[in-house]
Amino acid sequence: MITSLQTHSIDIGIGLTEGWVAGLGKAQAERRDAPYKLVGTYVETPLCWAISTGADRKDVTGVDGLQGAKMGVSRIGSGSYVMGFVLADAHNWLSQPPTSPSSSPAPTPFNIIPLQTFARLRDAVNDGSADFFMWEHFTSKRYYDNGAIRRIGEIYTPWPSWHIVARAEIVGDERLEEVLEKLNLGVRYFEEHKEEAVRYISTELDYSAEDAREWLKTVKFAQDVRGVRASVVQETVTVLEKAGVLGPEVGVMGMIGIRRKG
């Protein structure tokens, strides 16, 4: 999506918070203008990342033993990568040497294994080329239910999970304001038609109707999507710096096109 914003293929995008912030921070580090600004908050609730291992792995028993293990990620800097550092920070592993005798001495809490796709991550924890990976809970659940992988824990993002960006040139344009208001109308329609949402999710997406209903209990869309809180962006930047995705001295306010209070 960032590439599409750069090429003007799209004007507005909705995506994971950490991805947008990482892209903006990298643009600052390279002293170039970012192709977009943060303009809205789409989902107020954090995202639940499930922690998974192979279905028959006896050597991976729980989260406490993961320090120094092989962590499968889609790519360096992705959400699956960043959340590993959120997990490590929660367990105070970022400042401690790894305890696993097979781990590398790299200055990371895990041995990182980039694998690109969800399917390859599932295969890797079963064939031993990775010990665990992290992916959104409900997307992973069907593979727990069919016995393909095993769930050993979960962790939530420390920030609201989805934000809205727009090309920098259209911030302040009345067309952007119109889109944000229509998103508000869409959120209200969704809230008032939950069973219609369940039917759509269970027929068009990779969820059962039961899982769709459970997912609806966990997600809270912004009642007014307009604007972004600087405190949320700062918290995201702090974690991305710990993960080595961003360097120090990132300017948070330069990332925000429309600001909320807080």
Side-chain angles (χ1 to χ4, degrees):
M1 284 194 288
I2 291 175
T3 300
S4 295
L5 288 159
Q6 287 173 326
T7 61
H8 296 194
S9 298
I10 61 173
D11 295 316
I12 299 168
I14 301 175
L16 290 177
T17 304
E18 58 269 27
W20 293 135
V21 174
L24 289 163
K26 288 176 182 177
Q28 288 185 10
E30 295 168 4
R31 299 185 181 277
R32 57 180 173 81
D33 292 333
Y36 60 91
K37 298 279 190 179
L38 291 156
V39 297
T41 306
Y42 192 54
V43 176
E44 297 278 10
T45 42
L47 190 67
C48 179
W49 289 77
I51 307 169
S52 304
T53 191
D56 300 318
R57 294 286 296 274
K58 305 300 184 186
D59 57 327
V60 183
T61 58
V63 173
D64 288 342
L66 294 180
Q67 186 187 12
K70 294 176 288 186
M71 181 175 77
V73 303
S74 57
R75 64 189 183 283
I76 301 298
S78 67
S80 60
Y81 174 87
V82 170
M83 287 307 296
F85 287 83
V86 176
L87 178 69
D89 197 28
H91 286 265
N92 197 32
W93 293 338
L94 293 178
S95 58
Q96 298 178 6
T99 56
S100 170
S102 62
S103 62
S104 71
T108 62
F110 311 107
N111 185 1
I112 307 297
I113 312 295
L115 292 163
Q116 285 77 53
T117 67
F118 186 31
R120 290 185 64 185
L121 287 165
R122 300 195 305 272
D123 290 342
V125 292
N126 282 301
D127 67 24
S129 53
D131 295 321
F132 77 101
F133 71 88
M134 306 172 73
W135 210 258
E136 193 272 328
H137 166 71
F138 284 102
T139 310
S140 305
K141 186 176 180 297
R142 67 171 293 186
Y143 298 97
Y144 304 140
D145 294 344
N146 67 20
I149 54 177
R150 179 165 56 90
R151 187 178 190 276
I152 57 173
E154 66 181 30
I155 189 167
Y156 286 82
T157 58
W159 44 72
S161 51
W162 293 78
H163 276 77
I164 305 164
V165 302
R167 285 199 304 109
E169 296 90 336
I170 69 167
V171 173
D173 191 301
E174 63 181 18
R175 293 172 298 172
L176 173 59
E177 297 294 334
E178 183 180 349
V179 168
L180 295 175
E181 182 52 37
K182 287 184 176 179
L183 284 172
N184 284 336
L185 293 174
V187 168
R188 285 196 282 274
Y189 183 91
F190 173 86
E191 296 286 354
E192 294 167 3
H193 298 82
K194 291 293 179 68
E195 281 306 306
E196 181 180 339
V198 168
R199 287 194 299 274
Y200 176 83
I201 293 167
S202 60
T203 55
E204 300 295 329
L205 305 177
D206 200 15
Y207 288 56
S208 67
E210 179 184 359
D211 286 349
R213 289 191 179 91
E214 287 301 310
W215 173 78
L216 286 169
K217 295 176 184 177
T218 70
V219 65
K220 178 184 176 183
F221 287 87
Q223 295 304 297
D224 183 0
V225 303
R226 189 180 191 279
V228 176
R229 290 186 293 275
S231 58
V232 168
V233 183
Q234 181 59 66
E235 188 167 20
T236 309
V237 165
T238 298
V239 173
L240 291 172
E241 288 177 350
K242 290 180 179 179
V245 174
L246 296 180
E249 300 180 359
V250 171
V252 167
M253 295 313 299
M255 299 181 178
I256 300 174
I258 302 175
R259 185 180 177 183
R260 277 190 189 182
K261 292 182 178 179

